[in-house]
């Protein structure tokens, strides 16, 4: 099992460029999440998907869009990148029953210049 | 609303104990604890549910005071590997959405 995988690991964008961060999990989890983490801060939820075809806004959704392509994959898109979106982005997933610890991917380090 | 963690940072020697606190102004359904090492992803440590259920690692314990909306993580006989930033994540309902605190940086020295 690979767990939660994310691509790319690093990315540098110029202001106004667009890109998609990819996330996939092989644990058959229904719930998936996108977080951003800024220096010295905790994780802030951007978007959440409880199942294939459903998505909900989290705490900081502005400037982002998401797609739950299927049960395995959940992508995050920046349509017009801004320097304020420089951050580390983590994808996570969790099971639906019982104890539901979140499993995190390795992160994508994004710099917008 | 973001839970408040204290202390923000703690330094201790190997073998010493530490307590990290997490408090919320809202009634909570659950509290999660995660540890993150520099440059890595957060890793699950504990979950404490309203009503007393909990699950976590053997060497780490935690408490959840539902009336005060507070949780504490107890690290006993610290090892060098305990170094990292500890985050609590709180949940107001069973919606499986966590709000994380800003973290407590723990450094264990030899």
């Amino acid at each position: 099992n690979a767990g939660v995988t994310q691509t790319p690991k690093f990315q540098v964008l110029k202001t106004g460029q667009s890109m998609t961060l990819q996330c996939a999990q092989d644990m058959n989890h229904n719930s998936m999440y996108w977080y951003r983490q800024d220096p010295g801060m905790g994780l802030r939820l951007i978007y959440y998907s409880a199942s294939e075809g459903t998505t909900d806004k989290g705490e900081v959704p502005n400037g982002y869009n998401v797609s739950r392509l299927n049960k395995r994959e959940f992508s995050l898109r920046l349509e017009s990148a801004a320097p304020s979106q420089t951050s580390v982005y983590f994808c996570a997933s969790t099971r639906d029953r019982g104890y539901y610890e979140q499993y995190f991917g390795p992160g994508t380090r994004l710099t917008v210049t | 609303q973001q839970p408040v963690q204290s202390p923000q940072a703690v330094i201790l020697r190997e073998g010493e104990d530490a307590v990290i606190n997490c408090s919320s102004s809202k009634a909570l359904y659950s509290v999660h604890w995660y540890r993150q090492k520099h440059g890595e992803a957060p890793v699950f440590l504990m979950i404490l549910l309203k009503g007393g259920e909990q699950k976590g690692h053997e060497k780490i314990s935690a408490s959840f005071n539902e009336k005060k909306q507070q949780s504490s993580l107890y690290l006993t006989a610290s090892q060098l590997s305990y170094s990292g930033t500890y985050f609590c994540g709180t949940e107001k309902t069973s919606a499986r959405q966590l709000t994380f605190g800003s973290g407590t940086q723990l450094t264990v020295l030899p």
Side-chain angles (χ1 to χ4, degrees), chain A residues 14-72:
Chain A
K14 293 185 178 179
T15 298
Q17 288 185 319
S18 62
M19 79 161 295
T20 300
L21 281 63
Q22 307 286 354
C23 173
Q25 52 88 14
D26 61 1
M27 295 174 282
N28 202 36
H29 289 167
N30 272 325
S31 298
M32 297 186 73
Y33 309 81
W34 276 107
Y35 293 95
R36 62 176 288 173
Q37 185 175 36
D38 301 307
M41 297 185 68
L43 298 139
R44 291 185 291 170
L45 182 65
I46 305 171
Y47 269 96
Y48 161 64
S49 172
S51 62
E52 182 180 348
T54 67
T55 60
D56 289 297
K57 294 179 181 179
E59 181 186 354
V60 289
N62 290 345
Y64 305 95
N65 286 303
V66 290
S67 295
R68 184 70 183 270
L69 305 170
N70 48 55
K71 190 171 185 177
R72 289 187 64 249

Side-chain angles (χ1 to χ4, degrees), chain B residues 12-108:
Chain B
L12 53 152
R13 296 278 179 188
E14 212 173 356
E16 293 180 339
D17 301 338
V19 180
I20 300 172
N21 301 301
C22 174
S23 64
S24 173
S25 59
K26 306 277 187 180
L28 298 176
Y29 174 78
S30 74
V31 179
H32 294 219
W33 286 96
Y34 290 80
R35 177 172 61 212
Q36 184 179 32
K37 293 187 180 283
H38 184 69
E40 298 181 6
V43 174
F44 171 79
L45 295 175
M46 291 283 295
I47 179 173
L48 302 105
L49 296 171
K50 184 178 178 180
E53 289 185 77
Q54 59 178 262
K55 175 193 173 188
H57 290 263
E58 292 179 1
K59 295 186 178 180
I60 293 175
S61 62
S63 64
F64 179 20
N65 186 323
E66 297 172 33
K67 290 184 179 179
K68 294 185 177 181
Q69 295 94 49
Q70 292 177 347
S71 178
S72 295
L73 186 70
Y74 305 97
L75 304 168
T76 57
S78 296
Q79 304 172 18
L80 295 176
S81 62
Y82 286 10
S83 292
T85 302
Y86 289 75
F87 293 99
C88 69
T90 58
E91 189 179 28
K92 292 180 287 186
T93 68
S94 58
R96 297 176 184 272
Q97 293 188 46
L98 296 176
T99 302
F100 285 91
S102 57
T104 295
Q105 188 171 358
L106 180 79
T107 303
V108 181

